[in-house]
Amino acid sequence: MNSTSNLPKSLVRAASLAELQQKRQLLVHLNNQTIALFYSHDRVYAIDNRCPHMGFPLHGSVCKDGIVTCPWHYARFDLASGGTFDSWADDVRSFPVQIHEGEVWIDVTPQVNPRVQQQQRLQDGLEQGISLVIAKSVIALLDMGVTPTEPFQVGLTFGTRYNKAGWDTGLTILTCMMNLLPYLDADDRPRALYQGLSAVARDSTEAPPHFRVHPLPTADIDFPTLKTWFRQFIEQRDREAAERCLMTAVQSGMARNQIAEMLFAAATDHRYLDAGHVLDFINKALEALDTVNWQEAEPVLASLVSGLANATRMEESSSWRYPVDLVTILESAFEQLPSALEAGVSQRGRWTRQAELLPILFGEDAQAIADGLLNALQSGCTEEQLAGIVTYAAALRVARFHTNNDHGDWNTAHHPFTFANAVQQGLRRVPTIELLRGVFDAAMSVYLNRFLNVPPARLPEPDTVAEPDLLLNRLPEHLDRQQQVNETGWLVAQYLYSGGKPERLMAMLAKLMLRENRDFHVIQSLEAAFRLYTQLADAPEGVHVLVATARYLAAHAPTMRSQEQTYQMAYRLHRGDRLFEESQ
């Protein structure tokens, strides 16, 4: 009988022990794997030949005292376990070894639970702020069939636990990316999560943990009282007291919509907080909670309080007071909101005068704008409808943004659009009279930006009908060059006018956005535009919205694309490419 027949079937012959002892290192190829053998201190070791950091071959590396050091970035690994001493490098896979009759045998059976391992590596990547580790773990987890919600929730928990200033751009980017997933090609979904999670890690770098305050000892407090207290403490910029009210609302089991109502009321008690970011962050935090079924309610909600309490209030800004006192106009309009809504009850939902309101929103008379919004409500326009028309008006500011303007003014045009979108999404959740004030704030911010459309860039009109696929395929090359704003907008419009499928266009725009280095406002713009287009469908207004976001993307491209290079490295390593090995 063959003496090897008693060996476990998982063992595979790798090499002669004598040869390994003579050469000290050998490279073998077993079961489609390249394995490096080391002989050190009378012991045989076997590890994957690819350094898990960036794929450089470990064969030929210096081996000393049971530690092998990759010669490229000097990552160090324990030869016995494969464990790394450098967190940015990942552990290298090690293989159990048996010596039988002068032959080296290796067990190639996987020894660890890959899902648990990648979950831990994602946590490590967030803690250490290592984008390559985050990319590798996300790619691996989604390839295993893990739902995107799982790594999203890991990032949400981490980002609200470790933050410098509460909910910020990183968590907003992560939530935007999660919202964009249905629009993306399948191969772009892990790329989107990688970008979002890397943004969270960046915001959390060296941040101390946030220790939440405890709820009040008694839960026997009604909703109106807690809401009043919360708004009062935000008014006084008392973060700790406001957070305690919010935690009490959660612990007492108040409805999700009631909690949203508290937040939105406080966010609209003052005008256009932090150029709209505060309300947008609240809306994104609530969307994030919806994604995880409110499992992270306390830390997520607590992360919002600092932004609310410390925000810049636009009534403190000269542009909202002079030469026209917009705040006084708005306060007068707010007093009329209850009667305007009551007057429109009998006609509610039948309002169709959007075309009449739009020119008023683009006019030079702030009082006429406020009156126009009130008249729409009196005529039966719903809160969500009103928010929709203002959001579209804000998108048109971007679509008509003239490239002779200062480049920094792209953001000035952008902020009202994403703010109005957040107000509209919030009104879908809680159509309260307090949040309705945000529609008026958005309209006034559109009014203040009227100089950005002097002269207005022309909206693309239908041109000669062309093959949609040819137009779509030209988009990437346009975004490889600077100053292609108008050309990109024209391509997008002609694609849609020529009968191109909007789903393919949105997937392409998202792909082009994802290959660039992260830009918070570009990501915001794309997510808001896709949502608004979905509501408008194939109407001409929908074309204008996608033209707007395409122009905004083109204005901020190309970038260095270093983050995409990191992702591509992670993807190729996951795929098993021998990036730095000679092919066998």
Side-chain angles (χ1 to χ4, degrees):
M1 175 180 285
N2 189 330
S3 62
T4 63
S5 61
N6 294 326
L7 292 175
K9 293 183 179 180
S10 59
L11 292 178
V12 179
R13 182 191 176 280
S16 159
L17 177 61
E19 182 183 6
L20 179 60
Q21 289 173 327
Q22 178 187 358
K23 296 182 177 178
R24 315 302 289 182
Q25 295 186 26
L26 286 174
L27 196 64
V28 298
H29 303 279
L30 303 173
N31 291 19
N32 297 317
Q33 297 180 83
T34 305
I35 299 172
L37 302 178
F38 295 85
Y39 187 80
S40 177
H41 296 287
D42 299 321
R43 184 173 173 183
V44 176
Y45 302 93
I47 59 174
D48 191 322
N49 187 49
R50 292 190 317 158
C51 175
H53 177 219
M54 296 184 72
F56 200 80
L58 291 173
H59 177 254
S61 301
V62 173
C63 176
K64 182 179 179 181
D65 299 327
I67 296 175
V68 64
T69 302
C70 176
W72 195 6
H73 295 100
Y74 304 102
R76 299 159 297 170
F77 305 92
D78 165 30
L79 274 172
S81 68
T84 183
F85 296 97
D86 302 286
S87 59
W88 40 265
D90 282 316
D91 295 338
V92 67
R93 182 179 175 185
S94 65
F95 299 86
V97 174
Q98 288 190 28
I99 308 300
H100 183 73
E101 296 182 352
E103 303 288 339
V104 177
W105 293 75
I106 296 176
D107 188 344
V108 295
T109 306
Q111 302 296 310
V112 298
N113 182 326
R115 178 168 176 169
V116 172
Q117 181 186 35
Q118 294 302 332
Q119 288 169 332
Q120 181 58 53
R121 288 308 288 157
L122 175 57
Q123 189 70 32
D124 294 341
L126 289 167
E127 292 173 357
Q128 300 293 326
I130 307 172
S131 294
L132 182 61
V133 173
I134 292 170
K136 287 190 283 190
S137 61
V138 169
I139 292 168
L141 285 168
L142 266 61
D143 194 45
M144 294 174 198
V146 170
T147 64
T149 303
E150 185 174 308
F152 171 79
Q153 186 165 353
V154 172
L156 183 65
T157 302
F158 181 83
T160 52
R161 172 67 169 160
Y162 299 96
N163 58 75
K164 299 183 182 73
W167 186 285
D168 209 337
T169 58
L171 286 163
T172 302
I173 289 173
L174 176 62
T175 307
C176 283
M177 292 299 188
M178 195 67 184
N179 291 342
L180 284 170
L181 291 187
Y183 299 97
L184 304 183
D185 291 336
D187 61 346
D188 283 327
R189 291 168 190 159
R191 182 180 278 105
L193 283 173
Y194 147 73
Q195 288 280 20
L197 290 163
S198 296
V200 169
R202 176 205 62 198
D203 277 5
S204 300
T205 301
E206 298 181 357
H210 174 70
F211 298 102
R212 300 192 303 276
V213 301
H214 297 291
L216 294 168
T218 175
D220 188 22
I221 304 171
D222 60 29
F223 169 68
T225 300
L226 267 182
K227 179 181 174 182
T228 299
W229 288 351
F230 181 72
R231 294 169 73 178
Q232 172 184 314
F233 292 134
I234 293 297
E235 175 69 29
Q236 298 166 356
R237 301 188 185 275
D238 189 337
R239 183 200 60 78
E240 183 177 1
E243 184 175 336
R244 194 163 205 193
C245 286
L246 204 52
M247 294 304 96
T248 303
V250 176
Q251 284 294 315
S252 63
M254 288 189 177
R256 297 172 182 180
N257 283 357
Q258 290 179 314
I259 293 172
E261 183 179 327
M262 288 174 62
L263 290 162
F264 283 132
T268 52
D269 279 341
H270 290 278
R271 312 282 56 79
Y272 200 47
L273 298 181
D274 279 349
H277 284 130
V278 169
L279 194 141
D280 186 51
F281 288 177
I282 291 171
N283 180 62
K284 282 291 170 284
L286 294 172
E287 290 174 353
L289 285 178
D290 291 341
T291 299
V292 298
N293 197 27
W294 283 62
Q295 293 182 53
E296 304 293 331
E298 290 190 14
V300 169
L301 295 172
S303 73
L304 296 169
V305 178
S306 177
L308 268 168
N310 299 324
T312 300
R313 300 164 177 177
M314 285 301 109
E315 55 263 46
E316 301 165 348
S317 167
S318 61
S319 62
W320 283 66
R321 292 287 192 179
Y322 182 84
V324 179
D325 192 339
L326 301 181
V327 177
T328 299
I329 292 173
L330 289 173
E331 288 174 349
S332 174
F334 297 158
E335 292 176 359
Q336 300 174 64
L337 280 177
S339 60
L341 288 168
E342 185 178 356
V345 167
S346 62
Q347 305 174 70
R348 190 170 174 82
R350 299 199 295 270
W351 183 76
T352 58
R353 297 162 60 183
Q354 293 91 332
E356 297 177 22
L357 179 58
L358 198 60
I360 298 174
L361 294 175
F362 285 121
E364 298 284 334
D365 189 338
Q367 184 63 61
I369 292 172
D371 292 342
L373 296 174
L374 288 169
N375 289 336
L377 293 171
Q378 291 167 352
S379 301
C381 179
T382 67
E383 296 89 341
E384 187 183 336
Q385 272 184 302
L386 197 64
I389 189 70
V390 173
T391 304
Y392 173 62
L396 279 181
R397 280 280 188 241
V398 181
R400 292 171 169 171
F401 183 92
H402 203 286
T403 53
N404 286 340
N405 288 311
D406 183 82
H407 190 270
D409 279 332
W410 277 105
N411 288 343
T412 306
H414 157 83
H415 286 138
F417 174 49
T418 49
F419 173 74
N421 170 68
V423 173
Q424 185 180 17
Q425 302 308 321
L427 284 168
R428 287 181 163 187
R429 186 186 300 271
V430 282
T432 62
I433 199 165
E434 293 101 344
L435 182 52
L436 184 56
R437 297 176 298 186
V439 177
F440 286 72
D441 287 350
M444 290 304 165
S445 64
V446 171
Y447 160 80
L448 285 170
N449 290 343
R450 61 197 183 281
F451 70 94
L452 298 176
N453 292 160
V454 179
R458 293 182 60 185
L459 294 173
E461 297 180 356
D463 207 333
T464 304
V465 176
E467 173 59 41
D469 285 349
L470 295 178
L471 295 169
L472 193 65
N473 292 337
R474 288 169 57 188
L475 269 178
E477 65 186 58
H478 275 66
L479 271 69
D480 284 335
R481 305 192 303 273
Q482 293 181 337
Q483 299 180 352
Q484 298 297 302
V485 169
N486 293 328
E487 293 81 357
T488 300
W490 182 88
L491 269 180
V492 165
Q494 298 316 313
Y495 172 83
L496 292 170
Y497 288 141
S498 297
K501 294 182 179 179
E503 297 81 8
R504 293 192 60 201
L505 174 61
M506 289 189 283
M508 174 62 79
L509 289 172
K511 185 183 295 292
L512 297 176
M513 178 268 290
L514 288 169
R515 71 176 181 173
E516 305 294 345
N517 285 351
R518 284 185 303 276
D519 184 296
F520 170 55
H521 292 134
V522 169
I523 295 165
Q524 274 190 308
S525 169
L526 205 75
E527 189 252 4
F530 285 8
R531 285 197 164 188
L532 185 56
Y533 179 84
T534 302
Q535 299 167 32
L536 296 170
D538 297 328
E541 292 82 2
V543 176
H544 301 155
V545 169
L546 292 186
V547 165
T549 196
R551 295 180 84 242
Y552 192 83
L553 172 60
H556 297 83
T559 62
M560 290 293 291
R561 299 177 182 170
S562 57
Q563 292 159 0
E564 172 63 9
Q565 185 178 14
T566 298
Y567 181 84
Q568 285 297 330
M569 178 69 70
Y571 176 73
R572 295 179 66 190
L573 287 169
H574 174 74
R575 195 170 60 183
D577 290 0
R578 296 175 183 175
L579 303 182
F580 305 99
E581 298 180 44
E582 294 183 4
S583 59
Q584 300 295 318

